[in-house]
Amino acid sequence: MHLGRGYLYSEINRGTAARALALAGLILLSVVFGAIHDAVAATTVTDIRAGRHPDKIRLVLDLNGPVTFETFTLPDPYRVVVDLNEVKWAQSRPPRLGITEISNFRFGLFKPGTSRLVVDTTVPLAIAKTLLLAPTAKVQHHRLIVDLRRISQTRYRAESMAALERRLKSRPPTTPTPSAVPLARTDK
């Protein structure tokens, strides 16, 4: 049976149209998911600074929106960690703080959904208080405050380990993934 050239061209046009429609759908989905990701990560850390007070060192993060956060310390070397829901960072590198107890800090995306600020310290510093302040008439942005106080090395290690145990207990257990390919026996 001969269908003719018109049939062949209409099938090619249908196939081309279907591929073009599928491609347009993929592009639309990527734009939508990109917009969702940008909306979720829309909060930006606009400034990071530290100040010395008589009884503490205060870290301040200025933000253009609210965040959820968790703070903890890690030993060897001494570190203070601030985990935030995924944020953008207005600064490309950390400013010099001029606080001798803080040797360095770094920030960035820790894993999808979580951004992290790590503060390296030269002495044991405990997290005395954390506070998330909403904008006011005087201060037009959100502000995350982390107050640090100096403590003994023994107490620092004990508090860091206790915090680590609490964090590990609060996380759901992971299920080991079985190997997809069983190991072959070679002793026969």
Side-chain angles (χ1 to χ4, degrees), residues 68-133:
T68 57
F69 67 94
E70 177 185 12
T71 58
F72 55 95
T73 58
L74 295 171
D76 300 320
Y78 303 125
R79 289 161 289 167
V80 175
V81 179
V82 181
D83 279 349
L84 309 158
N85 57 284
E86 190 171 332
V87 297
K88 295 178 184 176
W89 303 89
Q91 298 170 313
S92 59
R93 56 191 172 121
R96 295 219 178 266
L97 297 177
I99 307 281
T100 57
E101 292 87 349
I102 297 175
S103 60
N104 190 26
F105 69 94
R106 55 199 174 277
F107 50 81
L109 184 64
F110 176 64
K111 62 182 180 182
T114 304
S115 293
R116 177 169 280 183
L117 168 69
V118 179
V119 180
D120 299 320
T121 66
T122 58
V123 295
L125 295 174
I127 299 165
K129 179 171 55 170
T130 57
L131 205 58
L132 182 63
L133 301 175

Side-chain angles (χ1 to χ4, degrees), residues 45-60:
V45 177
T46 57
D47 189 29
I48 303 170
R49 61 188 178 282
R52 182 182 306 282
H53 298 265
D55 60 337
K56 65 187 169 232
I57 293 173
R58 176 167 279 182
L59 292 174
V60 179

